[in-house]
Amino acid sequence: MSRFNLSAWALRNRALVRYFMLVFAVVGAWSYFQLGQSEDPPFTFKAMVIRTQWPGASAAEVDRQITDRIEAKLQELSSAEFIRSYSRPGESQVIYVSRDSMTSDQLPALFYQVRKRVNDMRHTLPEGSVGPFFNDEFGDTFGNIYALHGRGYTYAQLKDYAQRVQRELLRVPDVAKVELVGVQDQRIWVELDNAKIATLGVRFDEVLAGLAAQNAVAPAGAFETPTDRIHLRTDGAFDSLEAVSAMPIRAGDRTFRLDDLARVWRGYADPAQPKVRFNAEDSVGLAVSMAAGGDIVSLGAALDAETARL
């Protein structure tokens, strides 16, 4: 029995071969222009960072009360290549790295287990700790970065406008994520006058307790009617800088306003968060990343049109 000879078959069926060549050429040309175009190839980081804050604690306390407990819980998972941790005053950071043999499609399930196990033991962490916070998004590439700035505008105003622009850019096709960079969070600062509080006999912890109690959000019950349930809400929470300044502080049989004992003003976080400057002006950056399989050239044209409209 003779073996099949492809060359001889092609010579006998030249018309059919030419037809397939033409079809494959057309399909190939069409597919080429439909390919996604990205600035960087997709890649996956096989690591997750678990970060927890405990303001006021020493590095040794953070290590014993937070880092050791999180590490012990993560060691129950058998998919770790290694676990590395750092304990600093007020902050714990644990890095969980999966085995190299794990594929990209296996990582979401693994990182879900990491989140689940750490969240299950969160109640064992000391009171006053903040977090844990999880971060496993290290592979995002921002192909377009915009700077929003304006002479005479504060960071709070820039953030407000940047959030509006962010919502609009997220509607552009092939946009996966829009992150704000260089945002400075507002704070209300209370700087106590040590000489005044010592003279008037006011203790520092009394001021802190008064601030916490005045601004507490607590359930106040509900009022039942034959047809409705009316929820009650306590009044007195801070809603302005003036409300903070006018908060009463009681010392003995006397009552003072907070601004009688301290300087109260509105400012920004100190130390400042990483800043963005454009042409020597304070700015807020908007970093745009492309969705998987998108076309960076088409995305750039769509973003140009959207930013011109905005």
Side-chain angles (χ1 to χ4, degrees):
M1 182 177 178
S2 60
R3 298 176 59 185
F4 175 73
N5 191 318
L6 179 61
S7 300
W9 179 88
L11 291 174
R12 289 194 303 268
N13 300 274
R14 295 180 182 180
L16 187 59
V17 172
R18 292 194 186 99
Y19 169 76
F20 281 123
M21 290 176 62
L22 179 61
V23 170
F24 290 151
V26 172
V27 172
W30 179 84
S31 301
Y32 175 79
F33 289 104
Q34 300 301 316
L35 288 174
Q37 302 180 53
S38 180
E39 291 186 327
D40 296 286
F43 51 89
T44 303
F45 284 91
K46 299 181 180 182
M48 171 180 276
V49 177
I50 301 100
R51 185 167 169 265
T52 312
Q53 295 177 333
W54 190 14
S58 65
E61 291 172 330
V62 170
D63 187 59
R64 289 194 307 269
Q65 301 294 330
I66 296 180
T67 305
D68 284 351
R69 296 180 182 181
I70 294 178
E71 276 189 343
K73 197 66 178 178
L74 293 179
Q75 286 171 354
E76 297 176 3
L77 294 170
S78 59
S79 302
E81 183 76 20
F82 62 86
I83 300 174
R84 182 170 298 159
S85 63
Y86 301 90
S87 297
R88 304 181 181 90
E91 181 182 0
S92 166
Q93 182 171 287
V94 180
I95 303 174
Y96 182 92
V97 180
S98 67
R99 295 197 308 264
D100 286 338
S101 59
M102 297 195 68
T103 59
S104 298
D105 57 346
Q106 294 175 319
L107 289 179
L110 172 62
F111 289 159
Y112 167 76
Q113 289 297 325
V114 172
R115 286 183 169 90
K116 180 178 179 298
R117 290 174 183 267
V118 175
N119 284 326
D120 287 345
M121 53 80 62
R122 177 178 293 183
H123 68 281
T124 65
L125 299 181
E127 184 178 357
S129 61
V130 182
F133 304 102
F134 305 90
N135 184 11
D136 60 341
E137 298 181 354
F138 303 104
D140 293 333
T141 301
F142 299 100
N144 301 75
I145 301 179
Y146 300 91
L148 183 67
H149 61 99
R151 193 178 301 276
Y153 285 83
T154 64
Y155 271 118
Q157 293 171 318
L158 290 176
K159 179 182 178 181
D160 180 59
Y161 284 112
Q163 288 175 332
R164 301 185 195 183
V165 175
Q166 181 186 38
R167 289 193 292 267
E168 297 296 326
L169 293 181
L170 285 170
R171 299 189 178 123
V172 176
D174 285 340
V175 171
K177 184 187 299 183
V178 180
E179 286 193 2
L180 302 184
V181 187
V183 173
Q184 304 298 312
D185 294 329
Q186 280 192 306
R187 298 283 190 273
I188 291 181
W189 294 92
V190 179
E191 184 178 346
L192 293 172
D193 189 320
N194 293 328
K196 287 184 178 180
I197 63 175
T199 302
L200 299 173
V202 179
R203 297 201 311 271
F204 179 71
D205 58 343
E206 292 177 337
V207 178
L208 291 181
L211 287 169
Q214 182 73 17
N215 204 39
V217 177
F223 181 75
E224 300 282 352
T225 70
T227 58
D228 299 296
R229 168 180 284 186
I230 302 172
H231 291 275
L232 304 179
R233 188 178 299 275
T234 56
D235 195 8
F238 298 133
D239 56 3
S240 65
L241 181 65
E242 290 72 23
V244 180
S245 301
M247 190 196 80
I249 301 293
R250 187 168 181 82
D253 57 351
R254 294 180 297 175
T255 302
F256 307 95
R257 286 169 51 105
L258 180 61
D259 55 4
D260 291 334
L261 310 172
R263 185 168 73 95
V264 183
W265 78 97
R266 189 187 303 274
Y268 297 96
D270 185 21
Q273 295 160 290
K275 292 186 176 183
V276 173
R277 295 180 66 83
F278 180 81
N279 287 342
E281 291 188 24
D282 292 330
S283 309
V284 172
L286 294 103
V288 182
S289 66
M290 186 180 66
D295 187 333
I296 192 66
V297 178
S298 300
L299 176 61
L303 288 173
D304 288 343
E306 183 67 12
T307 52
R309 182 186 72 82
L310 291 172

